[in-house]
Amino acid sequence: MESDIHIPPVTLNPRKTYILPTRYGYLFIILLLIMLIGSVNYNNNLGFLLTFLLSSMCVISLYYTNSNIKGIRIVSAQAEPVFSGDPALFELMVQVAGSDRFSICFHFSDQPPDPAPETLIAGENNRIRISKNTGRRGIFKPGDITISTGYPLGIFRAWSIVSMNLQCHVYPRPILHSGEFQTAPSRHDGSTAPFTSGAEDFQGLTEYQPGDSLKRVSWKKVSAGQGLFTKKFDGLTGNSIVIDWYALAAQGTETRLSIMCGMILKAHRMNLEYGLRLPGITMEPASGNQHRHRCLQHLAVFSENLP
Amino acid sequence: MTMIKPENESREMGYLIGALVVALVPHIPSLPIWINTWCFLAFGYMILSLRKKWRQPPRWIRIVLTCIGIAGILSSSGHQIGSSTYQSLLAIMATLKPLEIRSHRDKMITLFFAYFIMITSLFQSESLLISLYMFFSVFVTTAVLIQVNHPGNRFPSSLRLSGKILIQAFPLMVILFLLFPRIEGSMWGITPRSTARSGFSDTLSPGNISRLVLNSEIAFRARFPEARPKPDQLYWRGIVFSTFDGRNWKTDTGAPLRKNPVQGKQAMTYQIRLEAGRHPWLFALDLPVSGQQDEIILADHTIRSGRNIVKPIQYQVTSYLTYNTGPMHSWEEITRSLPESGNQMARALAEKWRRENSRPELIIQRALAYFTENPFSYTLKPPILKKQVIDDFLFRSRKGYCEHYASAFAFLMRAAGIPSRIVAGYLGGETNPYGDFLVIRQYHAHAWTEVWLDSRGWVRIDPTSLIAPDRIELGPAGGLPAEDLPDNLLGRDFSELTSFRNQFYFFWEAVNNQWDIWFSGYSHLEQKSFFEQLGLNLQSSWKRAAVLLLILTILAIAFLLFLMQKLHKTIVGPDIVQEAYEKFCAGLRQIGIIRKPDQGPADFAAQIRSLKPDIAHQADEIITLYIRIRYMGKTTPEDEKRLQELVNRFDPVRKT
């Protein structure tokens, strides 16, 4: 599994932080002007006092809005690969120093703000998830993230745009393959793999790969300081097949890739050992999440013209 | 993740309704009863529906309610559209707005509406209580505004922040208040309809003044920087009535401006703060000598303002407490004339006195003796007088309030050939032990007479003082029979300061007085002198506006610089984890293992493993910990420390 796109920590750049009144802010300014005109006309000192009190509070709130957004640091970002058309989910780890930040919206700059703002707790890792719909297969770059807040009065909005070069792999949309797998001729002799009973047999430990289920991490090893290991379970005994581009000659490129994608998923589910053959690329039969990911990655970035 | 839960939503609705109610409270006294009932029922229904989770009523019900409300306002206000019409409209809108709140936008607009309702209440009254309430109201509404913009917050913390912002806004508010240029008069001549009532009109009929006893509103306050006059000198002159038509007394419109200076002694200078009353009369102690620029002193020694007093004003007057007005003017001849006929018995009585006494002084004494010798009584509830009012009063009912006595006495004097007229104003005033001022209320209203004597000019004679001598010392309650006392005067015995209630009452009055002088009275004149104190002699308001603009620009620049400086001073501490990881990568770079900029840690670990298996174990440990800290949420400071230690111990160069 992929899932860790390493980015160096990003702290909001104060030079790229902006504050402007929201549309309510403009409405409020109009209200203040009306109040001021009324007070001038009636020569009403209490009216002046209220108008100036509200204006001053407006100015003070500018300071609060500003301090609410500054010093936000995104310490890491990761994303799971997705199938074409599914939303890609990016998970940011966000830290703030000093005091908690309220009503902070995270969204991709070309999308409307999320209606549910976040509270960021100071001194903790705050997990923020933002998603964006993907289009074609390939490497998906969702673009810049806008972090914004209208706190406390909603009459000013402060925002900052963070460029992090986020990306994730978008696999072809799988098409379920009904046909038989071609077995790899080198290993076994043509027979499809039989299922073994007791699907969840403990097989041993493999090194942890980011994206492996945390439930399967061997925390005993971790606490012993030996690093991360994933408990490996196996339902099938090895039998290897080859998922071959050339065997699907009849269809167009995208359909072929989608069928191959479906086959990989099926083979992985059945815990078969499978290899991959694309023009210019050959993957030796293997199994496991890492292998599956590598194969799917090849499908994602495959280009016929540049073999 | 903050989720907007339904219970949060309904709690928020409750806060919004609360903000509207708080903003509406000051309007309650001036709204018609049916509007108050409407509001009570509507808000009651809303709170109940929040509790019981009823759905919002459909659109057509809201439209029907709006129509009913507007129709109700139009029919109850009649043809007059006054300030209470607008207030009613605001109140009705405030009750209907919450019924359609759905989005964030609706909530924001509702709260802005609450601020607007607040300012309309300020145009009704500028008292200290209303001012304090205004701050409370802003505090509550702003807290709800914070709550709406931070859903799921605990309301007390919204309140706390609101209070914090309010207090921090104070200095800027004061600066703006003092420096914002004030102008004279109003911008477009639109003035609020005053709710203050003054008892006086240009006609004096029986019952005009006694009716005022029911009114405890403040007419004006007088501040005496030096000594205070004696109680029997506190005759506040306002209006002179010179024409009698057989029943009513009318003011004389023919009085010219006073040209000759008045002779007198015992000059006393004092400041008066007059409440709005929609009349042009200014009050001053008998006899005003000089006033301020825009007031006019007429030849009947009353002071007029150029325009009706629609908002409180302050002025300073000097009066002579003993004076001689000098010879009679030709326009004053009217003070001798009586209608051709009517009140024959009174005429006959006066004629008899004139025949018996040669000097006017003696006639006056005779007339006053008539009031003391006969069973006259002082009452607020005189019987209704028949057509010949003077005769009926003098010979039959013999019960009356000051206007009856003044009227009868002036009539008798004229009938006896002595010029006389009625002066209306106030008598006395409440003294306040906490301040050097007197409070004169509507119930201090009084009418007395003036007669003209050859050597002395116009002389004040108050026949009421003979009937009710305590009136002067004890105020309107003095001299009135107990069963006559209206509710507002009952228990108003301020002769003692012992009771806590009295002490509080006077203290509150004194504070209010200061507030009115320093705050409500702050006008273009005070502003000018404020600038002068600062060493700036700025005559035109344009210059003052320029100064304000300059100061505001300086403040704005200072504030922006402050913000920028705050913004640049990064409050985020050093990133220990990142520093450690970079140190680790730098170490590896020395032995030729270079991490690509976008290479993830797990990938990098695999690379190390394949290139340098001998350090792989150590590197793995570091990277695993790094992954745990950075990608799996929960981390402890111990983890970060451990990472630092591991990296410090890690030395790939020596190892190879």
Side-chain angles (χ1 to χ4, degrees), chain A residues 6 9 24 41 43-45 56 64 66 71 73 76 78 93 102-103 117 125 127 153-154 207 210 222 228, chain B residues 2 149-150 168 182-183 185-186 190 311 519 522 567 572 578 599 602 609 624 628-633 635:
Chain A
H6 183 84
Y24 307 114
N41 183 59
N43 234 327
N44 186 299
N45 275 343
S56 307
Y64 278 88
N66 179 52
R73 180 152 68 187
S76 74
Q78 57 184 332
M93 214 61 88
F102 305 105
S103 289
N125 271 330
R127 220 183 265 267
L153 300 185
E207 277 172 82
V222 174
L228 279 176
Chain B
T2 319
N149 283 287
H150 182 200
Q168 286 165 338
R182 303 303 155 84
I183 52 167
S186 72
I190 313 164
K311 65 169 277 137
F519 176 77
Y522 188 80
L567 206 63
V572 186
Q578 191 58 23
Q599 193 175 17
R609 221 175 295 127
T624 309
R628 203 169 83 198
I629 293 170
R630 272 291 139 92
Y631 293 89
M632 284 176 211
T635 95

Side-chain angles (χ1 to χ4, degrees), chain B residues 281-325:
Chain B
W281 302 301
L282 304 186
F283 296 89
L285 282 181
D286 258 352
L287 199 70
V289 184
S290 63
Q292 275 168 335
Q293 56 264 50
D294 43 343
E295 296 110 27
I296 308 156
I297 301 189
L298 297 180
D300 61 7
H301 314 290
T302 57
I303 312 179
R304 292 285 180 104
S305 158
R307 52 175 87 92
N308 276 359
I309 296 140
V310 289
K311 65 169 277 137
I313 56 162
Q314 286 180 56
Y315 54 93
Q316 181 170 309
V317 202
T318 305
S319 290
Y320 284 139
L321 297 185
T322 51
Y323 49 87
N324 188 329
T325 59

Side-chain angles (χ1 to χ4, degrees), chain B residues 432-434 493-500 502-504 506:
Chain B
N432 189 315
Y434 292 101
D493 175 16
F494 298 124
S495 48
E496 283 181 279
L497 247 187
T498 47
S499 85
F500 176 74
N502 282 358
Q503 281 182 21
F504 178 77
F506 282 120

